[in-house]
Amino acid sequence: CHNSTIYIFGGLNVGEEKVFNDLFALDTETAEWRKLSPSGEAPCPRNEHAAELVGDKMVVFGGSSPEVEEVYNDVHVLSLADDSPVWSQASCSGPAPTPREMHSMFSSRHTSLSDLSCDNSTTVKLHVLGGRESGSGSVCSDLCTLSLDDFTWEAPVELPDFRRCSHTAGMV
């Protein structure tokens, strides 16, 4: 929620077999929906992706599109800094996660993977957990971390006893 607004991006209408890349906003104070038309290059239509609101930005990672039979590992950022939202595709460095769908994603402020507890760090990181890979359909067993300071992926951490997709995760 940003400024009492919930944002919803993309998704799949199973009955119509159609994926979307539209963006809606729900004002939680008035219960009014609006369809937004941000400038910039929106992510292609997708479902089974993950999105996380960090400050005045919404970050979208991965997902799939059954219309083109593609699974993604791209990162898109929606800036909500003013009344004119803007999409951009992040240019990331480091070892990117494999393309995946049905993963979870959460953010934290920490300095190392060995200590995921919140601290006073100003570095915000996104963590992508599990999911299902393209092609083989293998279920992922890794935790991938992206620093939002410089959009650098850290080496993934294998979690051999954790193979999961279509789950949720959060940090309290």
Side-chain angles (χ1 to χ4, degrees):
C1 192
H2 175 69
N3 293 337
S4 302
T5 304
I6 297 172
Y7 295 90
I8 298 176
F9 166 74
L12 169 70
N13 181 319
V14 176
E16 294 179 12
E17 296 183 15
K18 181 172 170 115
V19 290
F20 301 94
N21 69 339
D22 48 11
L23 179 69
F24 288 87
L26 172 65
D27 184 318
T28 60
E29 294 175 357
T30 64
E32 292 180 10
W33 283 98
R34 293 180 297 137
K35 183 173 183 179
L36 304 178
S37 299
S39 60
E41 186 178 337
C44 63
R46 64 188 62 206
N47 66 305
E48 299 177 337
H49 54 283
E52 177 78 2
L53 191 63
V54 179
D56 62 358
K57 294 178 176 31
M58 183 172 75
V59 182
V60 174
F61 172 76
S64 62
S65 177
E67 289 180 347
V68 295
E69 297 182 13
E70 181 121 11
V71 179
Y72 307 104
N73 67 343
D74 52 357
V75 177
H76 294 266
V77 179
L78 177 68
S79 174
L80 302 163
D82 54 38
D83 290 333
S84 302
V86 179
W87 279 114
S88 61
Q89 183 168 359
S91 179
C92 299
S93 61
T98 56
R100 63 188 64 202
E101 60 189 359
M102 299 189 284
H103 50 282
S104 63
M105 185 167 70
F106 61 96
S107 62
S108 71
R109 291 183 185 274
H110 71 281
T111 54
S112 73
L113 280 174
S114 62
D115 180 13
L116 282 177
S117 61
C118 293
D119 62 20
N120 293 325
S121 173
T122 58
T123 300
V124 178
K125 297 189 177 186
L126 284 181
H127 309 281
V128 175
L129 184 60
R132 185 173 71 179
E133 292 182 351
S134 63
S136 68
S138 296
V139 176
C140 302
S141 61
D142 56 0
L143 175 69
C144 305
T145 300
L146 176 67
S147 171
L148 293 184
D149 286 347
D150 57 6
F151 287 91
T152 299
W153 287 104
E154 297 176 6
V157 174
E158 286 299 317
L159 307 169
D161 295 330
F162 182 89
R163 289 196 178 281
R164 197 149 306 176
C165 64
S166 298
H167 62 281
T168 59
M171 183 143 188
V172 180

